[in-house]
Amino acid sequence: DTEVTQTPKHLVMGMTNKKSLKCEQHMGHRAMYWYKQKAKKPPELMFVYSYEKLSINESVPSRFSPECPNSSLLNLHLHALQPEDSALYLCASSQEGQLLNQPQHFGDGTRLSIL
Amino acid sequence: QQPVQSPQAVILREGEDAVINCSSSKALYSVHWYRQKHGEAPVFLMILLKGGEQKGHDKISASFNEKKQQSSLYLTASQLSYSGTYFCGTEWSSGGGADGLTFGKGTHLIIQP
């Protein structure tokens, strides 16, 4: 079991659907991250939130829309996705939003399939 | 800029040692090491900071050679539980706060009884 909880664990959606991925942590961490991981590939950074503000957006298409309602929650809103967006989406958190060198704690991920 | 990991894959007998390398052409601020088992989340192992420090955790240790911009992960007397894919993640000082990690392609480690 991990301390970062992601829901749902699996999601199948059509290209016209709108869905959201959720991530929650109760470790008091102030930085939260979204990564995308394709099969047999490393995680790729998508977004970084520091103190609930978006600090890094790695040129992710607008069909992915992140949201950080509070310091414990991170959402990823999905709309009009493409089949190539099928992947494992990992959420992570780290302790201090203003410092580097903090270990990142990963959730188990949401496995997303686009039909 | 993605760090380069080597080797891509290693097969060991239980009790043997392994070394995994991670190098970068860009000046590093720190190197993170993670292990991911199939179908599971990446698990944090350790962070190495620039300055050439070495860290250890049980029979897993790592070093960071700032001059070479390279980190090495040492697995001593490997156990079956060490099997998985090892990723190094690098961060460069953004000067502004939390940074995401850029991961290498991973080293697939198989430990056989």
Side-chain angles (χ1 to χ4, degrees):
Chain A
D1 289 341
T2 61
E3 297 174 9
V4 176
T5 304
Q6 290 188 243
T7 56
K9 293 193 182 302
H10 302 274
L11 179 62
V12 180
M13 57 186 288
M15 289 190 283
T16 58
N17 292 157
K18 285 185 180 181
K19 295 286 184 182
S20 297
L21 308 184
K22 296 185 184 300
C23 174
E24 189 169 4
Q25 57 87 14
H26 293 290
M27 296 179 283
H29 289 177
R30 303 312 301 268
M32 296 186 77
Y33 312 80
W34 281 115
Y35 289 87
K36 173 184 177 181
Q37 187 176 26
K38 304 281 275 185
K40 299 185 179 181
K41 299 290 185 182
E44 294 179 10
L45 182 67
M46 299 175 72
F47 302 104
V48 179
Y49 273 85
S50 177
Y51 291 98
E52 299 144 55
K53 292 184 179 178
L54 183 65
S55 62
I56 294 177
N57 176 341
E58 291 288 349
S59 302
V60 179
S62 60
R63 58 185 183 268
F64 295 92
S65 175
E67 178 196 19
C68 190
N70 59 57
S71 60
S72 299
L73 292 174
L74 186 66
N75 298 320
L76 186 63
H77 303 297
L78 314 172
H79 174 55
L81 295 193
Q82 304 297 309
E84 61 266 27
D85 297 324
S86 297
L88 180 68
Y89 288 83
L90 292 163
C91 173
S93 69
S94 63
Q95 185 171 15
E96 175 57 57
Q98 289 298 325
L99 295 177
L100 304 177
N101 302 325
Q102 301 294 319
Q104 294 186 15
H105 299 258
F106 284 84
D108 287 334
T110 293
R111 192 163 297 281
L112 177 65
S113 298
I114 306 300
L115 301 179
Chain B
Q1 222 168 2
Q2 188 176 40
V4 177
Q5 277 187 245
S6 63
Q8 291 183 351
V10 184
I11 300 176
L12 298 175
R13 293 271 182 208
E14 199 174 4
E16 292 182 336
D17 301 339
V19 179
I20 300 171
N21 296 309
C22 175
S23 62
S24 172
S25 57
K26 185 177 175 182
L28 296 172
Y29 186 84
S30 67
V31 177
H32 300 223
W33 286 98
Y34 290 80
R35 176 173 61 214
Q36 186 176 29
K37 294 182 181 285
H38 182 69
E40 298 182 9
V43 174
F44 171 75
L45 296 175
M46 62 189 76
I47 294 175
L48 283 298
L49 304 179
K50 67 177 183 178
E53 70 171 309
Q54 187 155 353
K55 279 192 174 181
H57 176 69
D58 196 11
K59 293 179 180 177
I60 299 175
S61 61
S63 63
F64 184 4
N65 186 320
E66 187 178 354
K67 195 172 181 181
K68 292 184 178 180
Q69 294 300 310
Q70 177 176 300
S71 178
S72 297
L73 186 72
Y74 306 95
L75 303 160
T76 305
S78 58
Q79 305 168 14
L80 294 175
S81 61
Y82 287 1
S83 293
T85 301
Y86 289 77
F87 293 104
C88 68
T90 53
E91 60 181 343
W92 300 277
S93 175
S94 65
D99 242 353
L101 295 173
T102 301
F103 288 96
K105 291 185 176 180
T107 296
H108 190 44
L109 179 64
I110 298 173
I111 309 296
Q112 297 177 335

